[in-house]
Amino acid sequence: MIAPPPSGPVPYAEELALGLLADMLRVRRLEEKSAELYGAGKIRGFLHLYVGEEAVAAGAIRALEPQDNVVATYREHAHALLRGMPMGAIMAEMYGKQEGCSRGRGGSMHLFDASTRLYGGNAIVGGGLPLAAGLALADRLRQRAGRVTACFFGEGAVAEGAFHESMNLAALWRLPVLFCCENNLYAMGTALERSESQTDLCVKAAAFGVHAIKADGMDVVAVHEAAARGRAQVAAGDRPCFIEFLTYRFRAHSMFDPELYRDKAEVAQWKTRGPIHTYSARLKAQGMLTEERFLEIERAAQEEVAQAVAFAEAGTWEPVADLARDLHTPEGQ
Amino acid sequence: MIAPPPSGPVPYAEELALGLLADMLRVRRLEEKSAELYGAGKIRGFLHLYVGEEAVAAGAIRALEPQDNVVATYREHAHALLRGMPMGAIMAEMYGKQEGCSRGRGGSMHLFDASTRLYGGNAIVGGGLPLAAGLALADRLRQRAGRVTACFFGEGAVAEGAFHESMNLAALWRLPVLFCCENNLYAMGTALERSESQTDLCVKAAAFGVHAIKADGMDVVAVHEAAARGRAQVAAGDRPCFIEFLTYRFRAHSMFDPELYRDKAEVAQWKTRGPIHTYSARLKAQGMLTEERFLEIERAAQEEVAQAVAFAEAGTWEPVADLARDLHTPEGQ
Amino acid sequence: MSRISYREALRLALRDALAREPRAFLIGEDVGKYGGTYAVSKGMLDEFGPERVRDTPLSELGFTGIGIGAAIGGMRPIVEIMTVNFSLLALDQIVNTAALYRHMSGGQFSVPLVIRTSSGAGRQLAAQHSHSFEAWFAHVPGIRVVAAASIEDARGMLWPALLDPDPVIVFEYPALFNMEGECPDAVAVDIRSAKVRREGAQVSLITYGASLPKTLEAAEQLAREGIDAEVLDLRVLRPLDEAALLASVRKTRRAVVIDESWRSGGLAAEVMARIIEGAFYDLDAPPARVCSEEVPVPYAKHLEDAALPQAGKIVAAAERLVRGAGA
Amino acid sequence: MSRISYREALRLALRDALAREPRAFLIGEDVGKYGGTYAVSKGMLDEFGPERVRDTPLSELGFTGIGIGAAIGGMRPIVEIMTVNFSLLALDQIVNTAALYRHMSGGQFSVPLVIRTSSGAGRQLAAQHSHSFEAWFAHVPGIRVVAAASIEDARGMLWPALLDPDPVIVFEYPALFNMEGECPDAVAVDIRSAKVRREGAQVSLITYGASLPKTLEAAEQLAREGIDAEVLDLRVLRPLDEAALLASVRKTRRAVVIDESWRSGGLAAEVMARIIEGAFYDLDAPPARVCSEEVPVPYAKHLEDAALPQAGKIVAAAERLVRGAGA
Ligand SMILES: Cc1ncc(C[n+]2csc(CCOP(=O)(O)OP(=O)(O)O)c2C)c(N)n1
Ligand SMILES: Cc1ncc(C[n+]2csc(CCOP(=O)(O)OP(=O)(O)O)c2C)c(N)n1
Ligand SMILES: [Mg+2]
Ligand SMILES: [Mg+2]
């Protein structure tokens, strides 16, 4: 039994309202192109797509400030893009070109960007949680008030000891971390109820004395509201906050996943709650979006993707002689 | 503000009532002698005493059945003794003699006894938790209904990822584990409120969907009642149970601890709740114990200790040639 | 004898183990409903049920420890740690409980545990997913470590590992999963000994795991150049089959050790030390190592290729030894 | 120059670091109120306050990861992992985040982190508390590993470690804590190089950490027997100071490597391999290893002594090499 599709008027002015739509569309088109390029052998390794979950990154990242830190997982193209990384740098990274954000060393799972304070991309489930708490501790110690570290992770990570230790430490030391749990109900093929004795993750988080918020992760408005509220609480300096975004991935876990663990019907049902079409329907219903405008946004996204691919194609390979470069920090840096 | 000393009539028949007293006294005398022998250089390495906490092991272990498994920590002399291991085998182990339960390889922190189903002694904080869940899983899979695995651990272990993972797995798979948290308020020098954002450990446990019981760990009756209730619930086959025994250690963490982290006054206050004198006072008040009988029990404990020391003194050293013995299981075993 | 893939060989071995040993069960992330990350356990949930093919949450420390406890409790668990990269999270339980338990308890308890895990790079999975930590496990007394580099071993190592009363860690290699070859029908692999995969007289190429095919390829290439190389597959990484190792080196008087782990402190270092201790006076030249470069394994294909041992480098090292560029 | 203990030297180094570098803070279990497990940080909570001397719950993975994050965030954390035994719980963060981060991000971020931990056996703490895992850390590219075997190093290694922009792991040795000796007032230890602790001509005794005093003792004994041994303290375990290593061996033409870790795959194996690769033709005899026996370290004193390297065994190994019992 899934909830009905998100509905009702979007309570934002046009810029934000359409900005959120554009964000989701840009992510969707990027992901679709990535899948295509994976098929073509241009992208290799592991590739985890965010299709279906766009509302989470779109709504949450718009609630952050430029000075905030972002920590993400291996399913982080959206976070990188919406945080402001050029799509070309993402695409080039997935191509393994040195124009990629991580010089082609990281690929899809390791997007990093110092300039937008994106601290990766992490292929170890739960691995980013202590890192986020540490960034927050540095901010606390250096008295950088008003900076929040947003840490995105899947609901699968909640079972890891790293979650428990990080939540406790962040709560105990009142660190400015916004824990953003992307609960898409599955960790690879493992459904939430087969991984947690307590499936209400807010109950788990609340047991650390942390404020816990549940939000419909298919509704970009609900996400944005929850994230803004959560961020404000954290920035107020009191303690960390945990948000569970209920979402769903429409595609396989990665490009290798035969999806034996869930019904096509279940996926179809969740697609009725798809974050992009339900949101644009709402915007249209309230007269904030015309079909023409929609197509314009769509075309812009496609154009951006095409340029990103062109950028990646034109990119160059890091010389093999540079293999050990950046293993250590050069003197004087 | 600590609670007043345990009081009121002891609701047990004489055998159990005095048995509990004898158990606590035996532990106390063993611990005191161990401290003395440590000073004399007969016992070496790390030595963690249970003085002050006797009611927990005494009350809880009497609630177990012979078929149950016990997993403990490095502060486990009491558990070994009360589970039925001869005191001589414990003492010889601490002497490093081959007559010790672990042939002198383990010392104070690694008491093992297959015959009483004592699965150690573990010097890694939290290390016994997954082990206990695994023993319980084996029982479940081999359909050994009615066997419970009691796992003792300090409140310090609650912060470890191992606690979180083990609790979740045990609850998720409904394993017959009785989690016995010995909350003596300190993990070495770290007070509970400096290690947990949520200091009510029952709230933490309950968040796993596990039944959680809080008991006065200085009151052997309260401990025994809680443990019996917890064990019965677990044995009923439904799910694990968590009990928090509120207790206090009267001595230093180990023989190296200068105890800079707590006041003498605090210790003195807790001593007013000492499990042995408050309990014997109650027994005397209700006419179940005479001073004469008390001295008899006391003498028996002292005699047992003296014999254990004699046994250890008379023990022999494992030949150096046997160093690699038991590294692997011999063929056909 | 039939032609199967390495993956299929692993699958057959696992199915067999579960069918023959009622106390055996498979436990790990996505071994059941997902069908196994590498499809090795596909179909087994249906065949054996959820008690014997047990999906776990993401809790490497926890479920590995549970496997250890279940082994002590009388079961024969097969713990699958999806990849060796994640085994770091479980290392405390493996070292401090599984490996020490029997000795430290004075022989009271055995831990009949099998851990299967997959290792190695070569699929552009980048730094965090391309580790080779065989050497770390092989350092720890109390456990046996084996590495399946062939279809025969993929098929035949699990059963003897399961019969072992003490912990055994079986390394499997995704880089080899699609390799096909002949597999004998009845396989009884001896998990106590190394195996000569190609006889030769002039240089011993010593390796294990995913580097075996590359090493065999190098041997072919060397043969075309008139150099007769022997290829020794270590197979047992702990305890090393020192006799086989020394026998080969004494015969050829030259050795190249090929190891996908980082050079410093990788398994190759131990092999070098054993050769030196046991066959110093038999050597015509110092043994050489071909290992991974000492950098995190990069994603980009050309960089990853450059970071790992390759047939070309093995050939070059062997040539240097045989043709003798001196010291 | 003043006479102090190794413990006091560590204490002075730590106090100094916190006083001189405002971004530095100490974080770990019981570093504050308890006064440090080994009293190294005693009094520092009062002096520097709870933000700079931060007690943590028992959460090795968590607080090590937090140290890493804080380093990336601009601080200079000194993470104390009470003993190397517990570092296994934190290994994932150390390897998969700290060590890889800079390379994997294409050089965007550095991790100026110091981890201090204590290592080794010899105090009858039994199997779980007597580990030596220096070799494991020394295997990982992206980190520097140093071992303080002398009072001078205990006093002088922390500051340069703190200045290093990349992760440094400092090993300290409880077995040496009560050792006393002269300590120069101004100590600037070079954490890039090994150090000859005793000059000698006939055999190189190569070691690190808690085995150094035993090795020096062995050298004395050998001197009395007329054997002139050189003692090389490796000090930097990653990257190894290969030049110093080879220089010593080329001079003496014989080497014994002494290492408290288990023999197979311990640091000594790597040292053996380097010697063989770099100085094969300079050797008069095969280098030898004196390591711990390959068993969990037992509690009983006589068994523990038997399990560890001792001066007697070092002397015997050196004698065999010099007097030559052949291969
Ligand atoms: C520590 C660790 N264990 C296992 C894996 C393999 N793995 C990669 S993604 C994944 C599922 C994670 O699920 P979740 O956290 O819910 O994130 P999602 O993929 O659904 O976004 C698993 C098991 C890993 N990368 N790291
Ligand atoms: C994983 C690990 N970290 C640190 C230690 C060092 N240590 C030993 S006992 C202890 C305190 C444990 O406190 P608690 O769990 O409350 O048990 P208690 O000693 O109070 O009985 C610590 C930090 C350890 N043994 N294992
Ligand atoms: Mg998920
Ligand atoms: Mg405690």
Side-chain angles (χ1 to χ4, degrees), chain A residues 154-156 182 184-187:
Chain A
E155 90 295 339
E182 306 182 312
N184 62 8
L185 298 178
Y186 291 91

Side-chain angles (χ1 to χ4, degrees), chain C residues 29-325:
Chain C
E29 289 158 11
D30 289 309
V31 296
K33 273 211 124 176
Y34 188 91
T37 315
Y38 300 108
V40 168
S41 50
K42 199 165 155 182
M44 292 189 202
L45 174 63
D46 287 341
E47 188 171 355
F48 297 102
E51 299 268 87
R52 301 199 58 212
V53 177
R54 184 173 289 263
D55 279 322
T56 69
L58 278 141
S59 307
E60 286 80 2
L61 184 71
F63 71 73
T64 303
I66 283 183
I68 295 167
I72 296 168
M75 298 298 292
R76 292 291 177 279
I78 302 171
V79 172
E80 176 174 318
I81 299 179
M82 195 185 281
T83 78
V84 76
N85 309 288
F86 317 141
S87 75
L88 298 189
L89 290 163
L91 209 47
D92 169 64
Q93 282 291 321
I94 298 171
V95 171
N96 280 319
T97 307
L100 307 181
Y101 207 78
R102 184 175 166 82
H103 190 268
M104 177 169 81
S105 67
Q108 292 186 72
F109 302 97
S110 297
V111 186
L113 170 78
V114 173
I115 294 177
R116 294 172 46 235
T117 193
S118 64
S119 177
R123 295 173 305 135
Q124 289 193 252
L125 302 184
Q128 293 183 329
H129 272 50
S130 299
H131 291 300
S132 296
F133 290 126
E134 286 88 337
W136 288 8
F137 292 92
H139 180 51
V140 182
I143 56 183
R144 177 179 298 278
V145 181
V146 299
S150 68
I151 289 166
E152 178 193 345
D153 286 355
R155 178 67 183 84
M157 274 181 164
L158 184 63
W159 184 247
L162 203 62
L163 291 183
D164 196 306
D166 301 312
V168 180
I169 311 209
V170 183
F171 280 93
E172 303 171 354
Y173 296 90
L176 307 182
F177 275 17
N178 295 326
M179 174 172 81
E180 295 202 345
E182 296 301 319
C183 185
D185 291 326
V187 206
V189 165
D190 169 11
I191 59 166
R192 292 184 149 64
S193 59
K195 187 152 182 177
V196 174
R197 296 286 178 193
R198 179 196 168 108
E199 302 258 2
Q202 290 175 282
V203 58
S204 298
L205 308 179
I206 301 164
T207 193
Y208 66 95
S211 299
L212 179 60
K214 293 177 183 177
T215 303
L216 287 166
E217 187 192 323
E220 289 297 322
Q221 229 171 289
L222 288 164
R224 286 194 293 274
E225 297 175 20
I227 294 176
D228 185 21
E230 172 147 311
V231 175
L232 182 72
D233 176 6
L234 291 168
R235 298 204 314 168
V236 197
L237 310 186
R238 178 178 191 94
L240 279 174
D241 182 355
E242 193 176 299
L245 186 63
L246 297 181
S248 178
V249 174
R250 287 197 184 114
K251 178 173 77 170
T252 63
R253 311 183 69 87
R254 291 174 195 88
V256 179
V257 190
I258 301 99
D259 180 3
E260 200 181 295
S261 61
W262 293 307
R263 184 186 195 83
S264 293
L267 198 87
E270 180 60 30
V271 175
M272 298 281 278
R274 297 288 181 103
I275 292 172
I276 252 32
E277 287 167 339
F280 184 76
Y281 295 104
D282 300 304
L283 291 170
D284 281 350
R289 289 186 281 182
V290 176
C291 304
S292 281
E293 299 299 318
E294 305 213 42
V295 294
V297 180
Y299 162 71
K301 176 92 171 81
H302 67 298
L303 297 177
E304 184 183 43
D305 283 348
L308 305 181
Q310 304 293 358
K313 292 187 200 171
I314 304 167
V315 167
E319 283 171 351
R320 266 195 306 276
L321 281 193
V322 176
R323 304 255 152 86

